[in-house]
Amino acid sequence: MTMLKNMKWLLFVAILPLFASCGWEELPAYEEADITQVAFYYRYVSPTDKDPITGEPMIRNVQLSTVGVSIDNNAGTVTLGVSATNQQNNLPADVYAGISQNNLVGTVTISTAARIAPSDGNKVLGVPDNWTVPHNFVVTAADGTKKNWTITVTSLTK
């Protein structure tokens, strides 16, 4: 038993230099703090779909089309329109009627390893919010660089 224990330690000591010689280099700290894409959704309680376990109505998200998207990395601005065509989404009439600029869910894609946070009292992305007014965010790059961004939805076409 002792022999086997000694063999394990000997094997461990023999392999240890292989791990140390891998040359762990410092990973790059990305300095980009950009918004690269935006998307908007309408979230609603389904009038027909029920959760099979609880029997409660299910929450559905419908992706809306974005039009005229303008992303200005230098100015830190995103300007766009949103289009909600019922032919594309095939929603019940009462659900479709509820879509407005006052209750959209915004999402963004940001630079690698960056983080985004709301500023100036805005809500976090991913929850329904009033997009009739511009929304401000701070994107923080991996290296700590911060950039202020404003997202403005100029219109909602139905």
Side-chain angles (χ1 to χ4, degrees):
M1 183 71 117
T2 309
M3 177 89 159
L4 184 58
K5 197 175 195 181
N6 289 338
M7 290 297 282
K8 285 182 186 177
W9 278 107
L10 183 59
L11 182 60
F12 175 74
V13 171
I15 293 176
L16 190 60
L18 296 175
F19 291 113
S21 67
C22 289
W24 293 92
E25 296 178 23
E26 190 173 316
L27 295 174
Y30 296 97
E31 59 191 35
E32 293 83 18
D34 295 327
I35 293 176
T36 57
Q37 275 186 317
V38 292
F40 280 87
Y41 296 82
Y42 176 63
R43 183 175 296 156
Y44 66 97
V45 177
S46 174
T48 56
D49 299 330
K50 305 283 185 200
D51 183 282
I53 296 172
T54 66
E56 296 292 320
M58 295 186 76
I59 305 297
R60 296 286 184 209
N61 284 307
V62 176
Q63 185 169 1
L64 306 175
S65 300
T66 54
V67 293
V69 178
S70 172
I71 299 175
D72 185 336
N73 288 322
N74 294 325
T77 60
V78 179
T79 306
L80 69 139
V82 176
S83 175
T85 59
N86 202 24
Q87 290 173 324
Q88 173 189 356
N89 298 316
N90 198 24
L91 298 171
D94 59 330
V95 171
Y96 181 71
I99 299 173
S100 78
Q101 211 170 320
N102 292 319
N103 57 12
L104 299 178
V105 176
T107 64
V108 298
T109 303
I110 57 177
S111 300
T112 301
R115 298 179 311 279
I116 188 166
S119 64
D120 301 330
N122 289 300
K123 290 183 183 178
V124 296
L125 291 164
V127 298
D129 202 359
N130 177 5
W131 287 89
T132 61
V133 295
H135 283 60
N136 299 311
F137 298 92
V138 176
V139 177
T140 305
D143 73 350
T145 302
K146 293 180 185 273
K147 185 188 283 188
N148 294 316
W149 282 87
T150 300
I151 301 174
T152 304
V153 177
T154 57
S155 62
L156 172 67
T157 306
K158 288 175 77 175

